[in-house]
Amino acid sequence: MDLSNVKMIVSDMDGTLLNSEEEVSPLFFDQFEKLKAHKIHFVAASGRQYNSIAQKLYPIKDQITIVGENGGVIKKENKTLLLQTFKPQKVVELIPVLRKIKNTFIILCGEHKAFIETKNQRFIDMFQEYYSAHELVQDLTTIPNHNPIIKIALYHSESSEKFIYPSVKQFEDVFLLKISGKNWLDISNLNSNKGTAIKFLQEKMNITPEQTMVFGDYLNDLEMLEAATFSFAMKNAHEKVKKTARFITENNSNLGVEKIIEQVLKAHTN
């Protein structure tokens, strides 16, 4: 495995770059300075909103590219490079259907903040980890006509695959449905995913798949893993992700991303 040609490294956040404490390791921040010296660009790609990713990577947020909302928004130096939004009426029509899914919380994800209508404090406390910029509103159907929506995130405390997916499966010809975590399911435009976001960046930066390295752990990472020659699944990844990736690294709490980055740095130093 010749890593000397790697020019761009892309990593998911939850279950990948973030450890079990939802933190980025000090080692990664040290490695980032070396990556920069070798002109290797770093991209954080997550289902989280931009603000949440930027907070986790605050010391370097203006030196990297951030792909938020599963590819719905791309920002570099706080400038928006790509924004993929829904037609407002599509969202308004979908909300009443989603409200009928038992024990499920709805989040409308805009470019600058997320919107919720639930007053369930336990959910709000948890949700703030992923959506630091948010607003509690009376009625979500009033939002899309005034705030462009990038993604709809749905949360179930037990299992998104078991309890949410069967109720929305009927829409998979109209929307992209992604089980993005044990508790989360995301609804986006059909062409809005991390893979199309990475391909957009590859074209913009003149970087090939052979020069791209990607790390992921869940089903919303599948398309971006396919966009890179050096595709790594975490040891803690979903089985479908392990089958899609060409390589497997250690889990997220055992510096799985950092151990491979170390190999990249050695290849560029030799």
Side-chain angles (χ1 to χ4, degrees):
M1 185 166 58
D2 181 11
L3 302 175
S4 60
N5 288 324
V6 173
K7 290 188 176 179
M8 180 164 72
I9 295 177
V10 184
S11 181
D12 173 48
M13 295 294 285
D14 295 278
T16 305
L17 188 62
L18 298 180
N19 61 26
S20 57
E21 303 298 315
E22 305 285 350
E23 295 171 344
V24 179
S25 73
L27 173 59
F28 172 76
F29 288 111
D30 290 341
Q31 289 177 328
F32 174 76
E33 294 304 318
K34 295 172 185 174
L35 290 174
K36 206 166 56 168
H38 289 292
K39 294 183 168 55
I40 300 171
H41 189 64
F42 181 77
V43 180
S46 176
R48 288 173 177 250
Q49 68 175 179
Y50 168 81
N51 289 6
S52 177
I53 305 166
Q55 283 180 356
K56 295 292 182 184
L57 294 163
Y58 187 78
I60 62 172
K61 70 179 178 68
D62 294 325
Q63 302 172 67
I64 65 175
T65 298
I66 294 177
V67 176
E69 310 290 9
N70 282 336
V73 59
I74 303 177
K75 292 192 179 192
K76 188 178 180 185
E77 297 172 359
N78 210 22
K79 292 176 186 169
T80 303
L81 304 182
L82 181 69
L83 195 64
Q84 303 196 67
T85 59
F86 288 109
K87 289 181 179 175
Q89 194 56 32
K90 274 191 169 186
V91 182
V92 172
E93 289 170 1
L94 193 56
I95 290 169
V97 180
L98 301 178
R99 283 174 176 157
K100 292 176 184 174
I101 307 172
K102 202 172 178 182
N103 299 323
T104 296
F105 297 95
I106 308 166
I107 305 159
L108 299 188
C109 308
E111 180 182 2
H112 302 294
K113 62 182 172 181
F115 301 89
I116 55 172
E117 61 186 6
T118 180
K119 294 181 175 64
N120 184 304
Q121 196 57 48
R122 183 179 292 183
F123 169 77
I124 292 170
D125 291 344
M126 179 284 304
F127 143 92
Q128 289 178 119
E129 164 64 28
Y130 306 95
Y131 295 92
S132 50
H134 66 273
E135 183 180 335
L136 176 61
V137 299
Q138 290 294 322
D139 180 2
L140 286 176
T141 62
T142 64
I143 300 302
N145 288 318
H146 308 286
N147 298 271
I149 300 302
I150 301 167
K151 187 187 80 177
I152 303 169
L154 303 174
Y155 177 89
H156 193 283
S157 59
E158 288 183 56
S159 169
S160 57
E161 195 163 1
K162 187 176 177 182
F163 296 105
I164 300 177
Y165 181 67
S167 297
V168 297
K169 191 176 185 293
Q170 59 182 305
F171 300 115
E172 59 189 0
D173 291 337
V174 185
F175 300 107
L176 179 67
L177 309 177
K178 276 291 171 185
I179 298 163
S180 56
K182 182 189 172 204
N183 309 103
W184 296 91
L185 186 143
D186 295 331
I187 302 176
S188 308
N189 281 320
L190 282 172
N191 63 340
S192 180
N193 60 64
K194 292 184 186 183
T196 55
I198 299 312
K199 287 174 184 174
F200 172 87
L201 290 173
Q202 286 169 331
E203 192 171 328
K204 191 171 184 64
M205 300 174 73
N206 197 25
I207 291 173
T208 66
E210 293 76 22
Q211 296 169 321
T212 307
M213 177 176 281
V214 169
F215 297 91
D217 77 304
Y218 226 82
L219 301 178
N220 56 330
D221 298 322
L222 291 174
E223 290 91 349
M224 77 170 182
L225 288 166
E226 291 169 346
T229 295
F230 299 105
S231 56
F232 286 83
M234 309 303 289
K235 195 175 276 186
N236 51 284
H238 191 287
E239 286 306 312
K240 283 186 183 176
V241 174
K242 289 180 181 177
K243 286 177 183 174
T244 300
R246 289 189 172 90
F247 309 98
I248 293 178
T249 184
E250 289 291 335
N251 66 39
N252 61 314
S253 289
N254 199 23
L255 301 173
V257 172
E258 291 87 341
K259 285 176 179 174
I260 303 302
I261 289 179
E262 202 58 43
Q263 292 181 33
V264 174
L265 292 170
K266 282 181 183 175
H268 280 74
T269 303
N270 294 337

